[in-house]
Amino acid sequence: MPAADPQDRRDELAADCANCAGLCCVALAFAKSADFAFDKPAGDPCENLQDDFLCQIHPTLRDRGFKGCTVFDCFGAGQKVTQITYGGQTWRQAPEQRAEMFAVFPVVRQLQELLWYLNEAMNQAQTGPIREDLEAAYTTTERLSESPADVVLDIDMGAHRDSVNEVLSQVSELVRGSAEPPKWRSKTNRKIKPGADLIGAKLKNADLRGANLRGAYLIAADLHGADLRDADLIGADLRDADLGGADLSSSLFLTQPQVNSATGDAETRLPPSLVAPSHWKN
């Protein structure tokens, strides 16, 4: 059977709250902080969750102290667990299964995130040589995400994530290797590496084309006007980073939650699959 077009897969990897049972608003815990207005234990419904499983303050989450909710994305795990794993049955209809549902959801969410990365990888022109490996990884991960609850809970997520990361690392090498060599050089440039501590770093107008910033801490970093084309940003922490005027149009593995956690403006260039958040400056 021919593989689905990657563009079509994006719809499957987007949250569809209308076909979910508010799982992210119940299964997950959060603590009162700058991101959440109050404490909520795992398994307790958020007080803002309505009977129809939708959030009653969704349009004003950031203004009401729930910035953390606006930077969360289940990558389609919510509707998959609700509609496929449990056949449309909700935790309200089957209270005896709610603990299991809440345990399955975060596992499937991790699998959906991996599917998103693999799908994005298959959209890269440079990944032709490893297309079969990407398809195989996608098929295996998708099969796991659609497995019965007991199988999902038995998945060794660490081992599976490592196996997927091997092929994603190859994607990174292929894409970044084809990038135009950056002209920007400085002492800071030597700090540009996976997992780097770049909290509050002054990187305004920096030429970071093809940089490997996997898992880098870029919290509150000044990336205004920076060129991040073909940079690998998988797992990079962009909370409160200034992306005003930055070029991320071909950044690799950049997700909507990362974008939502940062600040930007009308001059920020994003990949076609992502959108500027409403809280960014016009």
Side-chain angles (χ1 to χ4, degrees), residues 20-149:
C20 178
L23 290 176
C24 65
C25 304
V26 186
L28 307 180
F30 54 73
K32 185 175 181 178
S33 62
D35 292 326
F36 298 100
F38 51 73
D39 295 323
K40 189 195 82 65
D44 285 2
C46 174
E47 63 184 46
N48 295 313
L49 185 67
Q50 301 177 138
D51 290 342
D52 62 359
F53 301 113
L54 297 179
C55 175
Q56 64 181 344
I57 63 167
H58 189 268
T60 57
L61 279 168
R62 295 182 74 88
D63 295 335
R64 302 282 288 273
F66 291 90
K67 182 170 69 172
C69 295
T70 69
V71 300
F72 177 82
D73 192 331
C74 75
F75 297 98
Q79 67 261 28
K80 181 169 281 189
V81 171
T82 302
Q83 302 300 330
I84 296 179
T85 312
Y86 291 97
Q89 197 169 48
T90 74
W91 48 273
R92 284 180 178 145
Q93 295 169 323
E96 73 282 359
Q97 288 187 305
R98 60 183 286 161
E100 182 185 79
M101 288 182 186
F102 299 160
V104 166
F105 172 67
V107 179
V108 174
R109 193 264 177 196
Q110 292 182 68
L111 293 169
Q112 291 294 110
E113 183 178 11
L114 291 177
L115 288 173
W116 192 92
Y117 290 135
L118 289 165
N119 181 65
E120 290 303 299
M122 286 185 278
N123 272 303
Q124 303 296 321
Q126 303 93 327
T127 58
I130 59 170
R131 179 75 185 204
E132 289 187 7
D133 293 336
L134 287 168
E135 289 285 0
Y138 193 99
T139 299
T140 299
T141 304
E142 185 174 48
R143 176 178 54 78
L144 289 172
S145 73
E146 296 176 350
S147 296

Side-chain angles (χ1 to χ4, degrees), residues 1-5 9 135:
M1 182 182 223
D5 182 79
R9 286 170 167 162
E135 289 285 0

Side-chain angles (χ1 to χ4, degrees), residues 104-237:
V104 166
F105 172 67
V107 179
V108 174
R109 193 264 177 196
Q110 292 182 68
L111 293 169
Q112 291 294 110
E113 183 178 11
L114 291 177
L115 288 173
W116 192 92
Y117 290 135
L118 289 165
N119 181 65
E120 290 303 299
M122 286 185 278
N123 272 303
Q124 303 296 321
Q126 303 93 327
T127 58
I130 59 170
R131 179 75 185 204
E132 289 187 7
D133 293 336
L134 287 168
E135 289 285 0
Y138 193 99
T139 299
T140 299
T141 304
E142 185 174 48
R143 176 178 54 78
L144 289 172
S145 73
E146 296 176 350
S147 296
D150 60 333
V151 175
V152 170
L153 294 176
D154 199 40
I155 296 171
D156 185 339
M157 271 305 304
H160 183 67
R161 183 177 290 276
D162 286 346
S163 69
V164 173
N165 275 335
E166 284 186 21
V167 69
L168 293 179
S169 293
Q170 294 178 55
V171 171
S172 179
E173 293 295 329
L174 288 168
V175 174
R176 292 186 301 105
S178 67
E180 183 181 348
K183 299 176 182 178
W184 184 70
R185 293 287 185 272
S186 74
K187 291 181 180 179
T188 306
N189 196 40
R190 292 195 289 274
K191 298 179 182 178
I192 304 298
K193 59 184 179 181
D197 182 353
L198 295 168
I199 297 175
K202 305 301 182 184
L203 297 167
K204 186 175 182 178
N205 297 322
D207 188 345
L208 297 171
R209 285 171 293 166
N212 190 345
L213 288 164
R214 286 181 153 232
Y217 295 94
L218 289 158
I219 302 168
D222 183 0
L223 289 161
H224 196 99
D227 190 344
L228 287 151
R229 287 174 294 171
D230 298 321
D232 186 344
L233 293 171
I234 194 169
D237 193 335

